[in-house]
Amino acid sequence: MSRIHLLSPRLANQIAAGEVVERPASVVKELLENALDAGARRVDVEVELGGTRLVRVRDDGAGMDAEDLPLSLSRHATSKINSLEDLERVGSLGFRGEALASVSSVSRLAITSNTSDSSSAGLRAECEGSTMEVKVKPAPHPRGTTVEVRDLFFNTPARRKFLRTEKTEFNHLEEVLKRQALSRFDVAFQLRHNQRTVHQLAACDSELARERRVASVCGPAFMEQALYIETDIGGLQLWGWVGLPTFSRSQADLQYFYVNGRVIKDRLVSHAVKQAYRDVLYHGRHPAFVLFLELDPASVDVNVHPTKQEVRFRDGRSVHDFIFRSLHRALADVRPADQLAGQLEPAQITALAEPGQETLAWGRPGGAIAPARGGSRPMPGQVGEQLQAYRQLYASSSASMRLPETAAEDVPPLGFALAQLHGVYILAENRDGLVLVDMHAAHERITYERMKVSHGGEGIHSQPLLVPQAVAVSAREADCAETHRELFSQLGLVVERAGEESLVLREVPVALRDADMEQLLRDVLSDLLVYGSSDRVAAHIDELLSTMACHGSVRANRRLTIPEMNALLRDMEETERSGQCNHGRPTWTQLGMDELDKLFLRGR
Ligand code: ADP
Ligand code: MG
């Protein structure tokens, strides 16, 4: 008797389900993807007991006819690709053709569908037994499809044991719906749990509606403190909302990233984002963002993970650089004027045209979107002129200048200093009300940014080590060091290969001569191997400059004169990243007249 035999279709499907169906949330994800792929304009999700008793997804998409319906339940059956070439530039969310077969092997699944506009038409399919034979019978259904999944894992007790509480399972599937809802603003979504409506999201027909959806998914606080960005360079496009550094989270739980509309979690992407926030985020905090990357489908491989959560970029390095540079610029360019714009004007949209084709736009925090291309924002020189004007205005007036003497439009964003409070805060008056500045934090950032600029201008000075340092590495790392020799020397590191698995460090940056250079070299190599680039040397140098800046800045309890305070305010308006100190804390805040009025119950 032969020892080898074919598995029954159900068992084969159950094994496949092990990979893709982990919990009710996985079922919701697959069914939502199918509904969207079918062109649905509205998708209703109804679940009971955290999805363990029932997941029902109803869509108004294309539907399936008598021929397709039974096929949809067979493994390796899909309408989405035909050939390998199709897979290489796949535009649909699904393509593996195994979700329905897998889910139906571990639950009681029924599909009802109709491809016609006659609502008395329609078919219902269920599959039974170890052969998973499909039974089809007539059942009325409006155009579209309803998939009902009952009693998940009823026949796989080992899996069922891994299910958590109703609440936990529901939270997971709610998160899936939120992620999907942010990927398709044009589709209406509804989520009901135990007969109660939890989310009701209408299709978005305007920018305002989109913002409202982001606010309802991510919370209104995110939207109030988010920056809209949009960049486009050589076929790569990145748009979405990024939280200001002062809106950070203790966990990486508010991070939504989409590649060509597909929700993904990717190490390369997380690294690029983290690096962009490095200089402005409080240690150990996580940024919040909703970002969409669009690129040629042929340059990204989506077939690298069974649940398609990960992707592989053909040119990972340029994607990493693009994400990093776009976010880094956007965060550096936040100025008091931008942050205040939201409170002053309905929407102030600015765009920066950099040399090259890069365009970058950002609105007031949470502001209306008006994609600005081609540079409607004043060029850096013009900003300089404007500041020059402030300076003259300020210089030509007496030190104790107050608002009434100044035309409203000539008041600089952070206003004019009034006084100093307990040697710690500067109080200033601007068009909108009271501005409070943490003087040490602000000065520290200004000093730090200046040091970075002057350090950057001179380049990284290196100095030879008295005794060259041998570093044992893997052959792959040694190859990498050899290929990137030029890059290393730009970083002030002169590295030579000394053998198959060894390197010699001959020169190091002067600023870092006391650092653990061997560890740094290893970290840079591992960055280069994984992400294709590394900002470790720059990060270390920045850290050093930041410490120096901290010591060199005005300490608390130093009395400043009014002109000194005004000079600090003007510097803040000009300095990159001046909204946060070097440790990511805010440097200033504002109490508008309306907020003050509220405090005093005025106008009630
Ligand atoms: P895949 O999505 O990878 O193709 P699935 O097992 O999820 O594999 O679905 C199999 C096929 O069933 C799909 O290719 C599609 O043609 C059809 N299908 C599934 N769900 C729907 C739906 N909601 N509306 C219309 N067709 C659907
Ligand atoms: Mg699918």
Side-chain angles (χ1 to χ4, degrees), residues 313-345:
F313 297 104
R314 205 171 58 194
D315 187 356
R317 184 179 174 174
S318 58
V319 170
H320 182 282
D321 281 3
F322 171 65
I323 296 172
F324 164 71
R325 295 208 308 123
S326 311
L327 298 184
H328 185 72
R329 237 340 340 124
L331 292 169
D333 282 332
V334 184
R335 292 291 194 284
D338 298 310
Q339 277 170 276
L340 287 169
Q343 296 157 24
L344 296 176
E345 271 101 45

Side-chain angles (χ1 to χ4, degrees), residues 82-250:
N82 265 310
S83 63
L84 191 65
E85 289 80 69
D86 290 345
L87 177 60
E88 280 166 1
R89 41 175 52 259
V90 67
S92 56
L93 296 168
F95 53 80
R96 298 169 62 99
E98 57 181 17
L100 290 181
S102 298
V103 174
S104 72
S105 73
V106 293
S107 67
R108 301 182 217 275
L109 181 142
I111 308 180
T112 316
S113 194
N114 180 6
T115 55
S116 76
D117 281 325
S118 146
S119 55
S120 59
L123 295 165
R124 179 180 168 95
E126 278 169 64
C127 62
E128 290 171 357
S130 62
T131 56
M132 298 197 70
E133 200 191 320
V134 182
K135 293 246 163 67
V136 180
K137 59 180 184 197
H141 189 280
R143 179 194 286 274
T145 304
T146 297
V147 182
E148 239 173 41
V149 176
R150 289 183 185 275
D151 306 323
L152 185 65
F153 301 142
F154 79 97
N155 53 357
T156 50
R159 260 291 149 113
R160 204 170 53 229
K161 280 202 199 105
F162 282 97
L163 290 176
R164 301 280 166 234
T165 60
E166 173 179 2
K167 185 166 185 303
T168 304
E169 293 304 334
F170 179 74
N171 287 347
H172 280 284
L173 72 81
E174 183 189 14
E175 185 61 26
V176 164
L177 183 110
K178 285 177 169 184
R179 286 184 184 267
Q180 215 62 263
L182 288 180
S183 79
R184 288 294 299 273
F185 289 101
D186 56 329
V187 176
F189 292 87
Q190 175 177 282
L191 175 63
R192 288 168 61 79
H193 187 206
N194 300 338
Q195 275 88 53
R196 202 173 58 84
T197 302
V198 183
H199 286 284
Q200 177 95 56
L201 303 164
C204 308
D205 50 8
S206 65
E207 303 302 357
L208 195 68
R210 288 193 200 201
E211 287 180 5
R212 238 183 260 136
R213 179 175 291 194
V214 176
S216 86
V217 170
C218 303
F222 169 73
M223 213 47 207
E224 274 159 28
Q225 295 195 62
L227 212 56
Y228 178 75
I229 71 153
E230 184 174 281
T231 63
D232 190 342
I233 309 179
L236 294 173
Q237 214 192 320
L238 184 73
W239 63 277
W241 295 265
V242 293
L244 289 172
T246 39
F247 180 83
S248 63
R249 316 262 304 167
S250 61

Side-chain angles (χ1 to χ4, degrees), residues 10 64 149 163 181 186 205 235 397 459 474 521 560 569 592 596:
R10 181 170 294 262
M64 283 177 277
V149 176
L163 290 176
D186 56 329
D205 50 8
S397 56
S474 69
L521 175 63
L560 294 185
L569 296 176
L596 289 167

Side-chain angles (χ1 to χ4, degrees), residues 29-31 33-34 37 78 80 93-100 308:
K29 173 175 188 285
E30 294 295 338
L31 300 185
E33 288 187 358
N34 281 346
D37 281 346
T78 181
K80 298 169 193 177
L93 296 168
F95 53 80
R96 298 169 62 99
E98 57 181 17
L100 290 181
K308 300 158 288 178

